[in-house]
């Protein structure tokens, strides 16, 4: 009888964002696959979870897949966690999930923390439709990706490191226009979390003057949203000034 793989989101900041069900699943599992056992060890200690952990990350996931599948087929219940957030979202997890499906092994992803949802909601930009781009290619393919997104009408979401934030904002401004509205959300759910709003040009200057720290999510208005905002601003101007069409 096959076992089951649970994909378990973990907090991106405040440890108390952990769900009661996630704690129970981690306690009851035969094994926890962790991106970094030291990082996950802090979380496990906080909640008194003593389940055995095994390292599972992007550098070893291809090699460890066969043995994990064999254990699942043997009836084990295994939980997968990443350092923070939902596994497989810019973190390891997709390969294992796909391999389980191919072998007829049940997979269940628990609902829980992920960084881009609070970031897009906090941004004040349209969030009824959006596209998640994760990390842009660092070198090859980066310019091509940005050029392809220049006509994107939905709100766009990017992950970035603080060291590359200013450069990325400059590249976004060059690709989409310096006056495109955006926000930078940092340290989500942590003590010093903050969201910064403005045009891409404004944000470039802000973070040149004050170097950012922590995990970063960039949210950028789509082309349609930018155009609609200009229409709304003009309508507001007409109402205030009494200008007739």
């Amino acid at each position: 009888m096959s076992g089951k793989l649970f994909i378990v989101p973990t907090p991106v900041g405040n440890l108390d964002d952990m769900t009661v069900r996630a704690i129970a699943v981690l306690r009851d599992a035969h094994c926890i696959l962790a991106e970094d056992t030291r990082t996950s060890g802090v979380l496990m200690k906080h909640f008194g979870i003593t389940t055995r952990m095994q390292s599972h990350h992007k550098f070893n996931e291809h090699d460890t897949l066969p043995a994990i599948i064999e254990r699942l087929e043997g009836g084990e219940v295994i939980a997968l966690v990443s350092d923070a957030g939902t596994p497989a979202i810019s973190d390891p997890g997709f390969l294992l999930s796909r391999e389980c499906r191919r072998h007829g092994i049940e997979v269940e992803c628990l609902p829980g923390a992920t960084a881009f949802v609070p970031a897009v909601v906090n941004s004040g930009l349209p969030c009824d439709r959006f596209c998640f781009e994760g990390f842009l290619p660092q070198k090859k393919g980066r310019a091509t990706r940005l050029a392809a997104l220049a006509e994107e009408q939905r709100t766009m979401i990017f992950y970035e490191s603080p060291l590359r934030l200013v450069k990325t904002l400059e590249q976004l401004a060059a690709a989409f226009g310096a006056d495109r509205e955006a926000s930078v959300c940092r340290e989500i759910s942590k003590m010093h979390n903050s969201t910064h709003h403005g045009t891409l040009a404004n944000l470039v200057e802000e973070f040149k003057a004050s170097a950012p720290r922590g995990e970063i999510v960039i949210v950028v208005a789509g082309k349609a949203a930018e155009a609609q905002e200009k229409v709304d601003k003009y309508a507001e101007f007409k109402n205030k000034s009494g200008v007739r069409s």
Side-chain angles (χ1 to χ4, degrees):
M1 180 179 178
S2 292
K4 182 174 180 177
L5 174 68
F6 282 98
I7 298 176
V8 182
T10 55
V12 296
N14 193 318
L15 294 183
D16 289 337
D17 291 339
M18 192 74 168
T19 69
V20 173
R21 186 179 176 211
I23 295 169
V25 166
L26 293 176
R27 282 178 175 161
D28 293 343
H30 292 96
C31 174
I32 298 170
L33 303 178
E35 185 178 5
D36 186 326
T37 56
R38 294 166 299 181
T39 300
S40 296
V42 175
L43 180 72
M44 304 307 159
K45 183 177 180 180
H46 182 78
F47 290 107
I49 298 167
T50 58
T51 307
R52 179 174 64 87
M53 287 193 291
Q54 176 183 323
S55 180
H56 182 80
H57 48 71
K58 65 180 180 180
F59 300 109
N60 74 356
E61 58 183 339
H62 287 88
D63 296 332
T64 57
L65 275 178
I68 295 170
I69 294 298
E70 183 177 349
R71 288 162 55 189
L72 286 163
E73 289 182 324
E76 286 194 29
V77 174
I78 295 178
L80 173 69
V81 299
S82 62
D83 289 348
T86 301
I89 303 296
S90 295
D91 282 324
F94 164 69
L95 291 178
L96 179 56
S97 177
R98 182 180 65 182
E99 201 65 16
C100 285
R101 296 298 186 194
R102 287 176 174 174
H103 285 77
I105 298 167
E106 185 179 359
V107 177
E108 182 175 355
C109 180
L110 273 57
T114 189
F116 72 81
V117 172
V120 70
V121 174
N122 285 344
S123 73
L125 297 171
C127 53
D128 55 332
R129 297 174 65 245
F130 56 84
C131 63
F132 172 70
E133 291 295 318
F135 288 97
L136 288 165
Q138 289 191 25
K139 294 181 180 179
K140 186 178 180 181
R142 191 178 181 92
T144 303
R145 178 77 62 82
L146 289 173
L149 290 170
E151 299 300 314
E152 176 59 63
Q153 297 185 358
R154 296 168 295 178
T155 299
M156 295 168 281
I157 305 167
F158 305 90
Y159 285 167
E160 193 50 278
S161 78
L163 295 177
R164 291 194 298 266
L165 176 61
V166 171
K167 181 179 179 180
T168 296
L169 288 172
E170 289 174 335
Q171 292 172 334
L172 292 171
F176 306 151
D179 61 345
R180 183 74 67 94
E181 289 294 317
S183 77
V184 172
C185 194
R186 48 180 299 279
E187 294 289 75
I188 292 171
S189 189
K190 296 180 182 178
M191 182 180 296
H192 301 293
N193 73 89
S194 61
T195 301
H196 307 255
H197 306 277
T199 64
L200 287 167
N202 295 150
L203 293 169
V204 167
E205 294 307 311
E206 178 177 354
F207 288 107
K208 276 185 176 179
S210 177
R213 295 181 180 180
E215 300 296 323
I216 302 289
V217 183
I218 305 170
V219 184
V220 184
K223 189 172 184 179
E226 178 190 38
Q228 184 60 49
E229 184 172 358
K230 290 179 179 179
V231 171
D232 292 342
K233 285 183 178 178
Y234 181 63
E236 183 181 355
F237 166 75
K238 286 200 303 180
N239 289 335
K240 289 182 178 179
S241 62
V243 174
R244 295 182 179 179
S245 300

